[in-house]
Amino acid sequence: MNKGETFQVVITGFDFEGLGVTRVDNFVVFVIQGVIGDELLIKITNVKRNFAFAEIVEIKKASINRVKPFCQNFGKCGGCDLWHISYETQLTFKSNLVKDTLKKIANLEISGIKIFGHQGSFNYRNKVQIPFQEMNGQIVYGFYEKNSHLIVSLNNCQIQDPIHEKILISFKEIIQENKLSAYNEKLHSGLLRHLIFRKNLKNELMLILVINGRINKKIKDCLLELANYYPEIKSIYINLNPKRTNVILGQEMFHIFGKEVIIDSIDDLAFEISPDSFFQINPYMTKTLYQEALKMADISKDDIVVDCYSGIGTISLFLAKKAKYVYGIEIVKNAVLNAKNNSKLNKVENIKFIEGDVPAKIGEILKKTRIDVIVFDPPRKGLGTELLSQLIPYKIKKMIYISCDIKSASKDIKYLFDNNYQIKEAVAFDMFPGTKHVESCFLLELK
């Protein structure tokens, strides 16, 4: 098989990234935007030892699972992966992704994993980070192309609130009038790096402008002018990031307008959102996720619970409704401050938030009190053996593991399975419609 060769094929499956899968001779071929059931003419674009990648030259016969993408930038923009696939097929793909990854990495067979699909509008994102660049003397903004840092201009993006694009159009006009520059990655020059939107369920907005430099009167006046046009804007910050890095936020954050926080809610609980707070992207699915996690945990009034990676206290406060006492552990200082404020805001007293590294702090708690239930919602890298090895001797009866990365979760679950735990329930959630990502939640019990 050689690059540039063409073949007529039928797509028979999806890989872990949502690419169509077919077989040509002894090669597995991954086809960009291939859909199960498609009959295609494909062209080979990259050849490895035992597999290859291909693009579609012609759709000979479209699968019944194929739909026309509703986004004009689909295929160029790196934000979404699956809008060429019917939503029902997306859900099946994600349910199978959880099942197949557990089988491949943890060697565990879980059949029929239920997945909760997104309900209502697909404009679900409550946080969006928009980069700025200068191209051909013009300031542009949007999302990055797949596998690059070239910007695809926004054009009625379907996964965020339409107000964001209106504000961006106005902001571009204001900054051009004031002759402000956009950031150039190669030269590490220019001022404007990102504009971040955070939105609550009341459609109140917090804006964070990330700049390469110091705050001056001109940029501050531009933002205040923007706030004057849009009453939805309730809070504005400027973040300074002078480093040559792909990390979006720098270390210095300055509040320049309106409230210091916006208040969002999940079910009957209220939460302060600050610029760097972690809060689930999809508020509609978050409520379903937490309700299911709480149901799985089946917490009694005598249970002591630990919430690892507790963030601003979202899951912790749900757990405190049922438990005798809850400990939340979080390493980010501002998140811990938010969590403490949120416990006061919701008048929850049977809870304590601890600042520090989870592996270190969990050991301190284990030495002084029993733990009946432990809840994990870790970063993408998962938990790791440093943390898990500490838990095994204490024989904690129940663990709830929430994951945004099924690969890392499967590694951790294998470790727990090898140390006398078993999966009692496994559920998936489509927290990110249109993308290859899936949220999952597991109940693990001591055998």
Side-chain angles (χ1 to χ4, degrees):
M1 180 175 288
N2 299 300
K3 183 177 177 180
E5 280 191 277
T6 59
F7 300 92
Q8 193 156 325
V9 300
V10 175
I11 302 297
T12 57
F14 293 116
D15 80 335
F16 291 92
E17 301 289 319
L19 299 178
V21 178
T22 189
R23 192 173 279 275
V24 177
D25 298 327
N26 293 320
F27 274 79
V28 173
V29 181
F30 301 104
V31 182
I32 297 168
Q33 292 186 29
V35 179
I36 291 177
D38 275 345
E39 295 178 21
L40 307 172
L41 180 66
I42 62 169
K43 182 172 75 173
I44 303 300
T45 57
N46 195 358
V47 181
K48 303 295 183 181
R49 184 174 179 181
N50 296 314
F51 62 93
F53 292 93
E55 62 186 20
I56 297 171
V57 176
E58 182 184 351
I59 299 175
K60 297 289 187 180
K61 184 179 178 182
S63 165
I64 60 171
N65 303 307
R66 176 179 286 278
V67 295
K68 183 179 179 181
F70 51 67
C71 176
Q72 296 178 37
N73 285 335
F74 182 75
K76 295 183 291 182
C77 169
C80 299
D81 317 280
L82 304 178
W83 288 128
H84 62 300
I85 302 172
S86 71
Y87 189 58
E88 294 76 13
T89 307
Q90 288 187 37
L91 294 179
T92 302
F93 159 69
K94 294 184 182 188
S95 175
N96 288 338
L97 179 62
V98 174
K99 182 186 73 171
D100 294 344
T101 308
L102 280 169
K103 173 64 178 172
K104 183 177 180 180
I105 294 176
N107 198 28
L108 294 174
E109 286 277 11
I110 307 290
S111 61
I113 292 177
K114 180 179 180 181
I115 183 163
F116 288 87
H118 179 82
Q119 302 296 316
S121 166
F122 285 121
N123 301 100
Y124 60 87
R125 291 190 67 97
N126 60 20
K127 180 182 178 183
V128 183
Q129 302 171 141
I130 306 294
F132 286 81
Q133 280 182 3
E134 190 168 305
M135 293 176 64
N136 302 319
Q138 295 291 316
I139 291 176
V140 296
Y141 57 81
F143 291 126
Y144 292 126
E145 283 186 16
K146 288 183 182 295
N147 305 315
S148 86
H149 269 210
L150 294 174
I151 285 179
V152 177
S153 296
L154 293 178
N155 188 356
N156 192 26
C157 175
Q158 296 293 308
I159 64 170
Q160 61 174 314
D161 194 303
I163 189 67
H164 297 165
E165 289 190 41
K166 293 178 182 177
I167 289 172
L168 284 161
I169 291 168
S170 299
F171 188 54
K172 181 179 176 179
E173 291 174 357
I174 293 169
I175 59 180
Q176 285 180 327
E177 286 172 7
N178 285 273
K179 295 182 170 53
L180 296 176
S181 59
Y183 183 63
N184 183 309
E185 281 187 359
K186 291 181 180 178
L187 301 176
H188 190 51
S189 62
L191 185 66
L192 308 174
R193 296 184 73 141
H194 282 81
L195 185 61
I196 302 171
F197 294 83
R198 305 204 67 162
K199 180 176 77 77
N200 64 16
L201 289 173
K202 295 179 181 176
N203 294 317
E204 296 175 332
L205 292 172
M206 172 186 285
L207 304 187
I208 305 107
L209 180 66
V210 185
I211 62 173
N212 174 43
R214 307 302 301 179
I215 299 174
N216 57 49
K217 186 176 184 302
K218 186 181 283 189
I219 187 61
K220 193 173 177 180
D221 286 347
C222 287
L223 288 167
L224 295 176
E225 184 178 348
L226 194 64
N228 190 49
Y229 288 154
Y230 294 95
E232 296 91 344
I233 299 172
K234 303 298 182 184
S235 175
I236 300 179
Y237 284 82
I238 295 178
N239 177 267
L240 308 187
N241 187 357
K243 293 184 178 180
R244 201 169 206 144
T245 175
N246 288 334
V247 176
I248 292 175
L249 288 177
Q251 295 298 311
E252 295 182 89
M253 187 82 71
F254 297 92
H255 178 247
I256 67 161
F257 170 79
K259 304 173 183 176
E260 292 189 2
V261 297
I262 56 175
I263 305 295
D264 212 343
S265 62
I266 306 171
D267 208 3
D268 60 346
L269 293 172
F271 299 95
E272 287 187 357
I273 308 296
S274 58
D276 53 357
S277 299
F278 171 77
F279 199 69
Q280 291 281 4
I281 292 293
N282 186 331
Y284 313 103
M285 290 305 298
T286 300
K287 179 179 176 180
T288 304
L289 168 63
Y290 290 174
Q291 286 174 339
E292 288 299 311
L294 200 60
K295 192 188 299 181
M296 280 185 184
D298 191 25
I299 294 166
S300 77
K301 62 181 180 180
D302 296 318
D303 283 340
I304 295 173
V305 183
V306 175
D307 177 17
C308 296
Y309 308 98
S310 53
I312 64 171
T314 47
I315 301 174
S316 305
L317 291 169
F318 271 85
L319 296 166
K321 290 180 175 184
K322 302 282 187 180
K324 179 180 180 180
Y325 204 81
V326 175
Y327 294 92
I329 307 173
E330 172 57 54
I331 197 168
V332 179
K333 183 176 182 178
N334 284 344
V336 176
L337 291 173
N338 284 150
K340 290 177 178 178
N341 288 339
N342 288 333
S343 62
K344 293 174 186 174
L345 186 64
N346 292 283
K347 299 182 172 62
V348 177
E349 297 181 350
N350 59 329
I351 197 164
K352 181 179 182 180
F353 290 102
I354 300 165
E355 181 187 339
D357 186 45
V358 170
K361 294 301 179 182
I362 193 71
E364 294 175 13
I365 296 172
L366 285 165
K367 286 172 185 174
K368 68 181 181 182
T369 187
R370 78 174 197 277
I371 297 174
D372 300 295
V373 182
I374 190 161
V375 177
F376 305 108
D377 189 2
R380 299 194 72 84
K381 66 179 182 179
L383 301 172
T385 54
E386 181 189 358
L387 170 57
L388 292 173
S389 61
Q390 293 186 66
L391 305 178
I392 301 305
Y394 290 91
K395 297 183 177 180
I396 298 163
K397 61 184 181 183
K398 279 190 288 192
M399 299 183 184
I400 300 292
Y401 193 137
I402 298 170
S403 173
C404 62
D405 189 313
I406 187 57
K407 289 183 180 178
S408 59
S410 295
K411 293 174 186 176
D412 293 332
I413 288 170
K414 183 181 189 310
Y415 183 91
L416 290 167
F417 182 81
D418 291 342
N419 285 276
N420 215 29
Y421 282 85
Q422 59 186 334
I423 293 177
K424 296 295 289 185
E425 289 186 59
V427 185
F429 303 84
D430 192 20
M431 194 72 76
F432 317 102
T435 77
K436 62 194 174 188
H437 303 294
V438 60
E439 198 89 0
S440 52
C441 183
F442 303 93
L443 167 62
L444 296 119
E445 288 187 358
L446 200 62
K447 291 178 187 175

